Amino acid sequence: ILAPDEINRLTEPKALTTFRRFDSEGEHEVSEVSMQDNFIIKGNNLLSLYSLLPKYKGKVKLIYIDPPYNTGSDSFGYNDKFNRSTWLTFMRTRLELSKALLSNDGAIYVQLDFHQAHYAKVLLDEVFGEDNFQREIIWRIGWLSGYKTADKNWIRNHDTILFYSKDASQMTFNKY
């Protein structure tokens, strides 16, 4: 649980640093960024979203997030074991900020497994609106063989990606 002064400190403006550009010739340092640049941001996602908001509000075309699956077993350096209501609050804040960043023709993809996908679907319906739900994408993550088949239950071999638009009437889906 965060105290109000901790929340204020988290949401104060921050400076994004250590930009790198990647192209066919490798990695390069960057002295300035433009609106045409695409970003992959490594860091605290709440700080990143608040840092982007002043300059990019309503201008982001695509957001793809891979939030904590809430399994308690992730090796990444963040909390991956919330009670359900805390996880939903954690996600709501980030989804509302993401929506604010999206352009009217923008879209968000949220990748989860079975632990939270159904709860996230209801939350995304609330934040983005049921009419902006585009698809549930099933991403096969493995083949059934070897030790996996020894499990005494059905075997998990997919993740779910929930795809929403900010405004379905303005989104154009280019299927390539």
Side-chain angles (χ1 to χ4, degrees):
I1 298 174
L2 294 174
D5 64 321
E6 292 174 303
I7 293 170
N8 290 340
R9 202 168 38 249
L10 280 173
T11 59
E12 287 173 351
K14 306 288 187 287
L16 299 177
T17 62
T18 321
F19 287 92
R20 301 279 187 263
R21 180 167 281 121
F22 296 88
D23 59 25
S24 60
E25 298 174 12
E27 180 180 343
H28 314 280
E29 288 192 22
V30 174
S31 57
E32 64 181 71
V33 294
S34 74
M35 290 298 289
Q36 283 68 44
D37 288 319
N38 295 309
F39 299 110
I40 297 175
I41 300 171
K42 181 180 178 182
N44 180 302
N45 55 20
L46 189 59
L47 297 178
S48 299
L49 290 167
Y50 270 109
S51 297
L52 292 170
L53 201 56
K55 186 171 185 175
Y56 294 99
K57 184 177 183 176
K59 298 178 181 174
V60 175
K61 192 84 158 151
L62 173 72
I63 297 174
Y64 180 92
I65 61 172
D66 183 10
Y69 285 17
N70 209 25
T71 61
S73 62
D74 200 305
S75 61
F76 195 71
Y78 56 69
N79 185 357
D80 191 33
K81 189 62 178 166
F82 298 95
N83 67 45
R84 183 93 54 228
S85 62
T86 303
W87 186 86
L88 288 167
T89 301
F90 169 91
M91 288 301 298
R92 176 181 288 281
T93 305
R94 286 147 180 85
L95 293 172
E96 288 171 346
L97 285 167
S98 296
K99 183 179 181 184
L101 285 166
L102 283 174
S103 59
N104 288 335
D105 62 343
I108 185 169
Y109 292 79
V110 181
Q111 180 178 335
L112 294 158
D113 73 358
F114 68 92
H115 288 94
Q116 300 300 334
H118 302 90
Y119 300 101
K121 168 72 169 83
V122 173
L123 180 58
L124 283 155
D125 282 348
E126 287 181 19
V127 172
F128 285 89
E130 290 181 53
D131 293 342
N132 290 311
F133 174 66
Q134 297 294 318
R135 297 286 183 275
E136 174 186 28
I137 303 163
I138 302 301
W139 181 20
R140 187 177 194 161
I141 59 173
W143 297 96
L144 302 180
S145 64
Y147 76 92
K148 290 181 187 176
T149 61
D151 198 344
K152 294 182 179 171
N153 203 333
W154 293 106
I155 298 152
R156 176 183 170 264
N157 73 336
H158 78 275
D159 277 351
T160 300
I161 302 172
L162 300 171
F163 165 32
Y164 281 77
S165 58
K166 183 172 182 178
D167 182 345
S169 69
Q170 295 191 43
M171 189 193 81
T172 302
F173 183 77
N174 295 313
K175 186 176 181 179
Y176 292 106

